[in-house]
Amino acid sequence: MNIIQRNFFRLIRCGEFKKQEQIEPMSISKWNKVYQMAMMHQVIPSVYAGIQQCKDQFFLHLSEKQMKEWEKADIESRQTNKQEEENELLRADHLTNPLLNKKLQAILDDEQSDIATRQLLLIIIHITRHILNEGVPIYNLVQLGKYLTAEGYRVDFLTLNQWLKKLGFTPMAQLEGALLIQMFGFSKEEIPFLVEEPDKRVERVAQELTEFTNTRAEEFYFSQDSDSVFVHTSNSSAILGHIRRSAHYFRYLPSETLTNFFASFAHSLSHIEE
């Protein structure tokens, strides 16, 4: 990681997880890139909290104008994130693989199971869906870390691991746990569902977090001009990125990765005019 990325994650660790970190000196332009990165990954409140935590450090130099921009963005981001979280609660939790989805619904419909454990399962699945469709989401990984810190004592991790195994999500959950260690300084003991040694390939996966790209899966779709028989895609780079992600994560979750790709492809075809 370069200095921008290192300070970016240090500030998140300080702001959200109360770690003690020393910020490296950066120029105004580099601080602007940290701001852009925080905006892109929807973690302005986390980074701003880190800035407040480290504001007395010698090397944390922000102009008055920059501080006002951070403060304004923090307020706006909290409102936006809250609205998105509320909208997310209204969405049905499902998988694209029919067999896996049937198993998931049976787990969610079991009123005897623990609510906190089900909630953690859904967070892990939600992150997985983001990974397959948009890339690794820093915002959601932060939420996973916060949930483990605040609510982990209420979770039945034995049952959770059984569910993950039943759904075939164990490798993906291990990846998410390894990312918490790599990015946010968690220890293995703080992630009870991490039953294996962290994947050595996690560094390559983590690098995807810091790329300055923001291509979303829904940005690509196929369409057809009214005066032409040819079909074209709205964003060729988006579909290529989706293909690369599907190929990259296939080894972690083969059944859902395959059906997820074809479900996204079928959805994109729905834009073609008949």
Side-chain angles (χ1 to χ4, degrees):
M1 291 186 185
N2 60 39
I3 187 173
I4 297 170
Q5 297 160 356
R6 291 197 299 271
N7 278 342
F8 174 73
F9 286 109
R10 282 176 181 137
L11 289 168
I12 293 178
R13 290 195 290 266
C14 291
E16 291 291 2
F17 305 114
K18 308 310 176 187
K19 305 288 185 181
Q20 298 297 319
E21 302 274 352
Q22 290 298 314
I23 303 303
E24 295 180 71
M26 292 196 304
S27 64
I28 291 178
S29 63
K30 284 186 170 65
W31 275 109
N32 286 337
K33 289 182 180 179
V34 170
Y35 179 84
Q36 293 168 9
M37 205 169 174
M39 286 287 287
M40 185 181 74
H41 291 292
Q42 299 176 303
V43 288
I44 283 283
S46 301
V47 179
Y48 181 65
I51 290 174
Q52 293 297 309
Q53 183 86 358
C54 303
K55 63 182 179 181
D56 294 329
Q57 288 190 23
F58 181 77
F59 289 122
L60 201 157
H61 293 301
L62 290 172
S63 66
E64 185 177 345
K65 179 181 178 181
Q66 284 177 310
M67 286 300 294
K68 288 182 179 179
E69 288 176 350
W70 276 103
E71 184 177 358
K72 179 181 178 182
D74 175 58
I75 295 172
E76 294 175 350
S77 294
R78 288 182 185 278
Q79 294 172 343
T80 301
N81 291 344
K82 181 179 179 180
Q83 183 62 49
E84 289 182 352
E85 288 172 3
E86 291 174 351
N87 292 339
E88 195 65 41
L89 291 174
L90 301 177
R91 299 179 185 175
D93 295 294
H94 69 278
L95 299 172
T96 57
N97 183 290
L99 179 60
L100 293 183
N101 188 58
K102 185 177 180 180
K103 293 179 180 180
L104 173 62
Q105 298 311 315
I107 291 171
L108 299 181
D109 292 340
D110 182 5
E111 296 182 357
Q112 301 301 316
S113 62
D114 180 68
I115 295 177
T117 308
R118 274 184 284 169
Q119 183 60 39
L120 182 54
L121 174 67
L122 290 176
I123 293 173
I124 292 171
I125 290 175
H126 183 66
I127 292 174
T128 298
R129 289 166 61 184
H130 269 273
I131 288 174
L132 296 180
N133 291 299
E134 303 178 13
V136 184
I138 294 180
Y139 172 79
N140 297 100
L141 282 172
V142 169
Q143 301 311 305
L144 173 59
K146 290 171 66 175
Y147 190 85
L148 285 172
T149 301
E151 306 292 338
Y153 71 96
R154 298 198 296 118
V155 175
D156 181 349
F157 286 98
L158 179 61
T159 299
L160 175 67
N161 286 333
Q162 291 173 347
W163 289 345
L164 291 171
K165 184 177 180 180
K166 185 176 183 179
L167 295 171
F169 268 72
T170 298
M172 196 59 96
Q174 300 306 292
L175 175 64
E176 294 172 21
L179 286 169
L180 289 181
I181 293 174
Q182 176 78 12
M183 298 289 97
F184 305 130
F186 276 66
S187 67
K188 186 178 178 181
E189 291 70 31
E190 293 176 296
I191 312 173
F193 65 80
L194 190 62
V195 295
E196 303 172 359
E197 287 300 318
D199 193 332
K200 294 181 180 179
R201 292 169 293 194
V202 71
E203 290 187 19
R204 187 176 69 176
V205 176
Q207 187 58 37
E208 296 178 12
L209 298 169
T210 54
E211 293 178 354
F212 281 84
T213 57
N214 197 24
T215 301
R216 301 299 184 191
E218 59 265 29
E219 285 185 345
F220 85 87
Y221 56 84
F222 294 96
S223 59
Q224 185 177 29
D225 297 330
S226 58
D227 58 348
S228 172
V229 296
F230 295 104
V231 174
H232 56 85
T233 179
S234 63
N235 190 333
S236 59
S237 63
I239 191 171
L240 288 174
H242 197 68
I243 292 172
R244 283 194 296 269
R245 279 193 299 275
S246 297
H248 183 67
Y249 295 108
F250 182 80
R251 65 177 176 272
Y252 293 100
L253 188 61
S255 54
E256 177 66 15
T257 300
L258 192 62
T259 55
N260 177 79
F261 175 76
F262 284 113
S264 298
F265 191 81
H267 175 72
S268 68
L269 289 174
S270 66
H271 291 268
I272 299 177
E273 295 182 3
E274 303 210 0

PDB file of all heavy atoms in Angstrom, residues 24 61 107 151 153 161 181 183 244 246 256 270:
ATOM      1  N   GLU A  24       1.097   9.160   9.114  1.00  0.00           N
ATOM      2  CA  GLU A  24       2.285   9.601   8.383  1.00  0.00           C
ATOM      3  C   GLU A  24       2.027  10.980   7.762  1.00  0.00           C
ATOM      4  O   GLU A  24       0.889  11.296   7.383  1.00  0.00           O
ATOM      5  CB  GLU A  24       2.632   8.600   7.283  1.00  0.00           C
ATOM      6  CG  GLU A  24       3.043   7.228   7.789  1.00  0.00           C
ATOM      7  CD  GLU A  24       3.367   6.285   6.652  1.00  0.00           C
ATOM      8  OE1 GLU A  24       4.416   6.480   5.988  1.00  0.00           O
ATOM      9  OE2 GLU A  24       2.575   5.354   6.408  1.00  0.00           O
ATOM     10  N   HIS A  61      -1.989  17.316   9.411  1.00  0.00           N
ATOM     11  CA  HIS A  61      -2.166  18.722   9.055  1.00  0.00           C
ATOM     12  C   HIS A  61      -3.259  18.858   7.997  1.00  0.00           C
ATOM     13  O   HIS A  61      -3.097  18.426   6.867  1.00  0.00           O
ATOM     14  CB  HIS A  61      -0.866  19.323   8.524  1.00  0.00           C
ATOM     15  CG  HIS A  61       0.214  19.415   9.555  1.00  0.00           C
ATOM     16  ND1 HIS A  61       0.083  20.132  10.736  1.00  0.00           N
ATOM     17  CD2 HIS A  61       1.461  18.875   9.608  1.00  0.00           C
ATOM     18  CE1 HIS A  61       1.178  20.037  11.443  1.00  0.00           C
ATOM     19  NE2 HIS A  61       2.025  19.269  10.791  1.00  0.00           N
ATOM     20  N   ILE A 107     -33.424 -21.465   7.251  1.00  0.00           N
ATOM     21  CA  ILE A 107     -32.692 -20.950   8.420  1.00  0.00           C
ATOM     22  C   ILE A 107     -33.366 -19.692   8.965  1.00  0.00           C
ATOM     23  O   ILE A 107     -33.566 -19.538  10.172  1.00  0.00           O
ATOM     24  CB  ILE A 107     -31.223 -20.651   8.046  1.00  0.00           C
ATOM     25  CG1 ILE A 107     -30.462 -21.949   7.770  1.00  0.00           C
ATOM     26  CG2 ILE A 107     -30.536 -19.837   9.142  1.00  0.00           C
ATOM     27  CD1 ILE A 107     -29.073 -21.736   7.195  1.00  0.00           C
ATOM     28  N   GLU A 151     -21.814  -6.831  19.318  1.00  0.00           N
ATOM     29  CA  GLU A 151     -22.824  -7.868  19.520  1.00  0.00           C
ATOM     30  C   GLU A 151     -22.275  -9.290  19.489  1.00  0.00           C
ATOM     31  O   GLU A 151     -23.041 -10.244  19.652  1.00  0.00           O
ATOM     32  CB  GLU A 151     -23.918  -7.741  18.438  1.00  0.00           C
ATOM     33  CG  GLU A 151     -24.556  -6.381  18.321  1.00  0.00           C
ATOM     34  CD  GLU A 151     -25.396  -6.031  19.549  1.00  0.00           C
ATOM     35  OE1 GLU A 151     -25.811  -6.961  20.269  1.00  0.00           O
ATOM     36  OE2 GLU A 151     -25.618  -4.838  19.786  1.00  0.00           O
ATOM     37  N   TYR A 153     -20.726 -11.100  21.504  1.00  0.00           N
ATOM     38  CA  TYR A 153     -20.932 -11.920  22.707  1.00  0.00           C
ATOM     39  C   TYR A 153     -22.289 -12.621  22.698  1.00  0.00           C
ATOM     40  O   TYR A 153     -22.503 -13.607  23.430  1.00  0.00           O
ATOM     41  CB  TYR A 153     -20.793 -11.050  23.960  1.00  0.00           C
ATOM     42  CG  TYR A 153     -21.934 -10.082  24.178  1.00  0.00           C
ATOM     43  CD1 TYR A 153     -23.009 -10.387  25.011  1.00  0.00           C
ATOM     44  CD2 TYR A 153     -21.944  -8.830  23.536  1.00  0.00           C
ATOM     45  CE1 TYR A 153     -24.057  -9.507  25.206  1.00  0.00           C
ATOM     46  CE2 TYR A 153     -22.978  -7.941  23.725  1.00  0.00           C
ATOM     47  CZ  TYR A 153     -24.032  -8.286  24.552  1.00  0.00           C
ATOM     48  OH  TYR A 153     -25.070  -7.406  24.731  1.00  0.00           O
ATOM     49  N   ASN A 161     -21.303 -21.375  12.239  1.00  0.00           N
ATOM     50  CA  ASN A 161     -20.392 -22.146  11.394  1.00  0.00           C
ATOM     51  C   ASN A 161     -21.108 -23.321  10.728  1.00  0.00           C
ATOM     52  O   ASN A 161     -20.783 -23.690   9.591  1.00  0.00           O
ATOM     53  CB  ASN A 161     -19.194 -22.636  12.210  1.00  0.00           C
ATOM     54  CG  ASN A 161     -18.219 -21.517  12.521  1.00  0.00           C
ATOM     55  OD1 ASN A 161     -18.129 -20.539  11.789  1.00  0.00           O
ATOM     56  ND2 ASN A 161     -17.490 -21.645  13.622  1.00  0.00           N
ATOM     57  N   ILE A 181      -8.777  -8.713   9.583  1.00  0.00           N
ATOM     58  CA  ILE A 181      -7.435  -8.739  10.170  1.00  0.00           C
ATOM     59  C   ILE A 181      -6.486  -7.864   9.367  1.00  0.00           C
ATOM     60  O   ILE A 181      -5.736  -7.053   9.914  1.00  0.00           O
ATOM     61  CB  ILE A 181      -6.906 -10.190  10.229  1.00  0.00           C
ATOM     62  CG1 ILE A 181      -7.740 -11.012  11.219  1.00  0.00           C
ATOM     63  CG2 ILE A 181      -5.424 -10.218  10.619  1.00  0.00           C
ATOM     64  CD1 ILE A 181      -7.392 -12.486  11.254  1.00  0.00           C
ATOM     65  N   MET A 183      -7.112  -5.411   7.108  1.00  0.00           N
ATOM     66  CA  MET A 183      -7.444  -3.999   6.924  1.00  0.00           C
ATOM     67  C   MET A 183      -7.632  -3.241   8.238  1.00  0.00           C
ATOM     68  O   MET A 183      -7.240  -2.088   8.354  1.00  0.00           O
ATOM     69  CB  MET A 183      -8.739  -3.866   6.105  1.00  0.00           C
ATOM     70  CG  MET A 183      -8.670  -4.444   4.696  1.00  0.00           C
ATOM     71  SD  MET A 183      -7.629  -3.460   3.591  1.00  0.00           S
ATOM     72  CE  MET A 183      -6.086  -4.351   3.682  1.00  0.00           C
ATOM     73  N   ARG A 244     -14.526 -10.788 -14.500  1.00  0.00           N
ATOM     74  CA  ARG A 244     -13.287 -11.023 -13.749  1.00  0.00           C
ATOM     75  C   ARG A 244     -13.583 -11.361 -12.290  1.00  0.00           C
ATOM     76  O   ARG A 244     -12.951 -12.243 -11.706  1.00  0.00           O
ATOM     77  CB  ARG A 244     -12.375  -9.789 -13.841  1.00  0.00           C
ATOM     78  CG  ARG A 244     -11.646  -9.657 -15.170  1.00  0.00           C
ATOM     79  CD  ARG A 244     -10.523  -8.644 -15.057  1.00  0.00           C
ATOM     80  NE  ARG A 244     -11.028  -7.307 -14.782  1.00  0.00           N
ATOM     81  CZ  ARG A 244     -11.325  -6.430 -15.728  1.00  0.00           C
ATOM     82  NH1 ARG A 244     -11.194  -6.738 -16.996  1.00  0.00           N
ATOM     83  NH2 ARG A 244     -11.773  -5.215 -15.398  1.00  0.00           N
ATOM     84  N   SER A 246     -16.335 -12.679 -11.068  1.00  0.00           N
ATOM     85  CA  SER A 246     -16.946 -14.005 -10.995  1.00  0.00           C
ATOM     86  C   SER A 246     -15.888 -15.097 -11.104  1.00  0.00           C
ATOM     87  O   SER A 246     -15.928 -16.086 -10.373  1.00  0.00           O
ATOM     88  CB  SER A 246     -17.990 -14.164 -12.114  1.00  0.00           C
ATOM     89  OG  SER A 246     -19.044 -13.240 -11.947  1.00  0.00           O
ATOM     90  N   GLU A 256     -23.029 -20.343  -6.020  1.00  0.00           N
ATOM     91  CA  GLU A 256     -23.694 -19.038  -6.017  1.00  0.00           C
ATOM     92  C   GLU A 256     -23.037 -18.071  -6.996  1.00  0.00           C
ATOM     93  O   GLU A 256     -23.720 -17.253  -7.623  1.00  0.00           O
ATOM     94  CB  GLU A 256     -23.678 -18.449  -4.603  1.00  0.00           C
ATOM     95  CG  GLU A 256     -24.289 -17.057  -4.481  1.00  0.00           C
ATOM     96  CD  GLU A 256     -25.778 -17.011  -4.769  1.00  0.00           C
ATOM     97  OE1 GLU A 256     -26.421 -18.084  -4.791  1.00  0.00           O
ATOM     98  OE2 GLU A 256     -26.309 -15.900  -4.966  1.00  0.00           O
ATOM     99  N   SER A 270     -32.801  -7.598 -19.881  1.00  0.00           N
ATOM    100  CA  SER A 270     -34.184  -7.125 -19.783  1.00  0.00           C
ATOM    101  C   SER A 270     -34.349  -5.708 -20.306  1.00  0.00           C
ATOM    102  O   SER A 270     -35.466  -5.242 -20.522  1.00  0.00           O
ATOM    103  CB  SER A 270     -34.647  -7.185 -18.309  1.00  0.00           C
ATOM    104  OG  SER A 270     -33.908  -6.271 -17.521  1.00  0.00           O
TER     105      SER A 270
END
